[in-house]
């Protein structure tokens, strides 16, 4: 065998051998043994309960089970410990999970957090320190975004990009990949939606250069390209022309009473002769120097950090969210240093069940629409029936009135006899 081919095969084998899945959760029947529900908000009565279910539509009723938020207007906090701590130095960090909003979410989070060691799982809350927060967040019509937040030196850094999330009622998969060269990639359903440098799309580092604090625009600097023509003079009588004049076509109403209504005045209209406020014409400014540019200097606070991507002791996967309308289902979570492992889980779960899930959803929606249409037609028929009934009653009332009138005439005739 060719030596080069042997070397390639060996490197490929070593790459596969070095790949590690630090956490993988598909939520089987034993999921509660691995996850710890926090007591956060429990005393206040606003802690939500998790439900193990595949939801109202799915591809496979058992394989597609995940954990679902089950109570409206509740806080949810739950976490699981990784079998092995993750130090991503020199490695890719891949976080991927599947989520579904069967409730047509109106306001609530759908993100996952990676947390460092030292977490008290029973006290997981919105104040718990985390390393990475990633996933969809929806609230009203203005917030429909993918959150991608990195904690760097104690600061939670939000991405500067506006990444739109999916908001339909079917399953979707979100993937975050952090590379050791300080670049990243974000995928939705395994399709790229963003990639680039973490230094460009997050404020990890201060700017390399800043405006020189010692410099300021000279007082005699002229940055106006035009100026008033000093030789241009306002025409005589310009200000004597009023903006409004009495309408010459207006006439005092015939029924106008000066004593009762006061002296009549014609309504005013725009004066066609009025030319507006006079301004001298503009000419090129001979002293114009162009826009003043603030000189820049190197930022003394800027320090390069090739290790900005590193998280040394990731140990927990957590979900900490608020939901106005419950029903969100989390499933198929993976934390690994190998993109191919995440893609494999995507293919084994989402890809296999997506078409069947969509068909079941479409069938349910079809039945729902047909039922609503039948109810609408029934209500319409009932309305028409009631209208006909009222019409018949009105006609009967008219016949009764005619009979009463005839009776009166007959009685009158008898009386006259």
């Amino acid at each position: 065998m060719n030596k080069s081919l042997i070397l390639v095969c060996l490197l490929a084998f070593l790459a596969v051998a070095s790949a590690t899945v630090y956490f993988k959760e598909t939520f089987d029947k034993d999921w509660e043994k691995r996850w710890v529900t926090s007591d956060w908000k429990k005393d206040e009565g606003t802690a939500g309960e998790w439900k193990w279910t595949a939801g109202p539509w799915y591809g496979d009723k058992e394989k597609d089970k995940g954990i679902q938020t089950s109570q409206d207007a509740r806080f949810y906090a739950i976490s699981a410990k990784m079998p092995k701590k993750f130090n991503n130095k020199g490695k890719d960090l891949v976080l991927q999970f599947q989520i579904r909003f069967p409730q047509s979410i109106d306001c609530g989070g759908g993100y996952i957090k990676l947390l460092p060691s030292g977490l008290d799982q029973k006290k997981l809350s919105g104040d718990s320190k985390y390393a990475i927060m990633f996933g969809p967040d929806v609230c009203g019509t203005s917030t429909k975004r993918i959150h991608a937040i990195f904690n760097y030196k104690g600061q939670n850094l939000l991405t500067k990009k506006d990444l739109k999330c999916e908001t339909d009622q079917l399953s979707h998969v979100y993937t975050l990949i952090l590379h050791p060269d300080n670049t990243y990639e974000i995928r939705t359903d395994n399709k790229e939606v963003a990639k680039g440098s973490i230094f460009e799309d997050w404020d990890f580092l201060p700017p390399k250069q800043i405006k020189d604090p010692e410099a300021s625009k000279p007082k005699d600097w002229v940055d106006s390209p035009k100026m008033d023509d000093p030789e241009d003079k306002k025409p005589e009588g310009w200000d004597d022309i009023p903006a409004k004049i009495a309408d010459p076509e207006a006439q005092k109403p015939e029924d106008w009473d000066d004593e009762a209504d006061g002296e009549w005045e014609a309504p005013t209209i725009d004066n066609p002769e009025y030319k507006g406020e006079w301004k001298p014409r503009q000419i090129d400014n001979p002293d114009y120097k162009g826009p003043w540019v603030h000189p820049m200097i190197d930022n003394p606070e800027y320090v390069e950090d090739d290790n900005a991507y590193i998280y040394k002791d990731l140990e927990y996967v957590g979900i900490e969210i608020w939901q106005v309308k419950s029903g969100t289902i989390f499933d198929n979570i993976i934390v690994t240093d190998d993109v191919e492992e995440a893609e494999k889980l995507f293919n084994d779960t989402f890809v296999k069940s997506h078409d069947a899930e969509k068909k079941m959803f479409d069938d349910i929606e079809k039945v729902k629409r047909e039922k609503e249409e039948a109810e609408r037609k029934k209500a319409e028929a009932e309305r028409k029936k009631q209208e006909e009934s009222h019409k018949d009653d009105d006609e009967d009332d008219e016949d009764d009135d005619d009979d009463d009138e005839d009776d009166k005439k007959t009685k009158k005739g008898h009386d006259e006899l």
Side-chain angles (χ1 to χ4, degrees):
M1 184 182 289
N2 185 287
K3 290 184 178 180
S4 298
L5 182 58
I6 294 174
L7 180 59
V8 170
C9 292
L10 180 60
L11 291 173
F13 173 78
L14 291 174
V16 171
S18 63
T20 302
V21 174
Y22 292 87
F23 183 83
K24 185 177 180 181
E25 180 61 81
T26 56
F27 294 101
D28 58 23
K29 61 183 177 62
D30 295 323
W31 74 273
E32 289 180 292
K33 296 178 181 179
R34 299 182 294 273
W35 289 79
V36 177
T37 301
S38 173
D39 291 333
W40 182 49
K41 298 292 183 178
K42 190 174 181 180
D43 292 342
E44 299 175 17
T46 55
E49 294 183 2
W50 294 92
K51 179 181 178 182
W52 183 51
T53 179
W57 42 83
Y58 42 78
D60 185 297
K61 188 173 182 179
E62 293 303 317
K63 292 181 180 179
D64 290 349
K65 283 184 176 181
I67 55 172
Q68 181 184 49
T69 57
S70 65
Q71 296 168 287
D72 294 345
R74 292 289 189 274
F75 293 90
Y76 293 85
I78 194 168
S79 63
K81 188 175 183 180
M82 297 185 192
K84 180 182 178 181
K85 288 185 181 181
F86 188 7
N87 181 340
N88 68 316
K89 183 176 181 180
K91 304 176 183 179
D92 284 338
L93 186 162
V94 185
L95 168 61
Q96 177 177 285
F97 67 99
Q98 181 173 307
I99 192 167
R100 192 184 338 155
F101 299 127
Q103 76 274 40
S104 291
I105 190 167
D106 52 3
C107 189
Y111 36 79
I112 280 183
K113 293 181 177 180
L114 295 184
L115 303 102
S117 59
L119 172 70
D120 183 343
Q121 290 180 267
K122 295 296 288 184
K123 294 182 179 179
L124 173 64
S125 73
D127 295 326
S128 298
K129 179 183 176 182
Y130 63 87
I132 296 173
M133 187 177 104
F134 173 65
D137 185 28
V138 177
C139 196
T141 57
S142 59
T143 302
K144 296 180 180 180
R145 65 178 304 181
I146 301 174
H147 270 308
I149 302 176
F150 293 111
N151 184 281
Y152 179 70
K153 295 184 177 180
Q155 298 294 318
N156 292 329
L157 308 178
L158 281 69
T159 178
K160 293 183 280 187
K161 286 188 173 180
D162 184 17
L163 307 176
K164 299 299 182 183
C165 68
E166 301 292 337
T167 57
D168 59 37
Q169 294 170 271
L170 298 174
S171 294
H172 292 283
V173 174
Y174 293 90
T175 308
L176 171 65
I177 305 167
L178 181 59
H179 297 297
D181 62 353
N182 288 305
T183 62
Y184 76 98
E185 182 180 350
I186 292 175
R187 301 176 183 177
T188 299
D189 297 340
N190 208 35
K191 296 178 181 178
E192 176 191 310
V193 296
K195 69 183 300 183
S197 166
I198 63 172
F199 298 126
E200 292 178 2
D201 295 338
W202 285 264
D203 291 325
F204 273 83
L205 305 177
K208 288 185 177 181
Q209 289 195 318
I210 59 172
K211 293 178 179 179
D212 185 355
E214 302 295 327
S216 59
K217 183 170 69 174
K219 293 182 178 180
D220 61 350
W221 187 276
V222 179
D223 52 13
S224 297
K226 296 288 184 178
M227 61 175 288
D228 294 342
D229 184 352
E231 297 183 1
D232 191 19
K233 304 297 181 183
K234 184 192 298 185
E236 290 186 11
W238 183 282
D239 293 335
D240 297 335
I241 302 174
K244 297 282 186 178
I245 59 172
D247 184 353
E249 297 182 1
Q251 295 182 353
K252 183 168 71 171
E254 293 180 0
D255 60 349
W256 188 275
D257 186 335
D258 288 342
E259 292 185 3
D261 301 326
E263 183 180 354
W264 181 81
E265 294 182 359
T268 60
I269 60 172
D270 292 335
N271 186 353
E273 302 296 327
Y274 181 66
K275 298 179 181 180
E277 180 185 356
W278 182 83
K279 294 180 180 179
R281 64 172 172 264
Q282 297 290 291
I283 61 173
D284 291 336
N285 191 340
D287 297 324
Y288 175 61
K289 296 181 180 181
W292 184 76
V293 179
H294 203 126
M296 306 293 286
I297 62 171
D298 291 337
N299 186 353
E301 296 182 1
Y302 175 80
V303 179
E304 290 188 0
D305 186 0
D306 293 336
N307 296 324
Y309 74 95
I310 295 176
Y311 293 94
K312 295 181 179 179
D313 64 343
L314 299 176
E315 192 172 12
Y316 297 93
V317 174
I319 302 172
E320 176 275 305
I321 56 175
W322 157 262
Q323 294 215 319
V324 173
K325 187 191 294 184
S326 64
T328 299
I329 301 174
F330 291 83
D331 199 5
N332 302 324
I333 306 170
I334 187 170
V335 180
T336 178
D337 58 14
D338 184 11
V339 176
E340 290 185 0
E341 287 289 342
E343 291 175 342
K344 183 177 184 300
L345 180 61
F346 172 81
N347 291 325
D348 290 344
T349 54
F350 178 85
V351 172
K352 287 185 177 180
S353 66
H354 176 70
D355 290 346
E357 178 190 319
K358 187 176 187 307
K359 183 180 184 306
M360 187 174 183
F361 171 75
D362 290 342
D363 290 345
I364 291 173
E365 287 296 296
K366 181 181 178 182
V367 172
K368 180 182 176 182
R369 288 193 298 270
E370 290 174 348
K371 182 180 178 181
E372 290 174 347
E373 179 64 13
E375 291 176 348
R376 185 192 66 78
K377 289 181 177 179
K378 182 180 178 182
E380 180 66 14
E382 183 64 27
R383 183 184 64 79
K384 289 182 178 180
K385 182 179 178 181
Q386 291 179 357
E387 288 178 353
E388 290 295 329
S389 176
H390 290 315
K391 183 178 180 182
D392 292 341
D393 289 343
D394 292 341
E395 290 177 352
D396 290 342
D397 290 342
E398 290 178 1
D399 290 341
D400 291 342
D401 291 341
D402 291 341
D403 291 342
D404 291 343
E405 188 63 29
D406 291 340
D407 290 343
K408 289 178 181 179
K409 289 180 179 178
T410 301
K411 184 176 184 301
K412 182 179 181 182
H414 285 303
D415 291 342
E416 289 176 350
L417 289 174

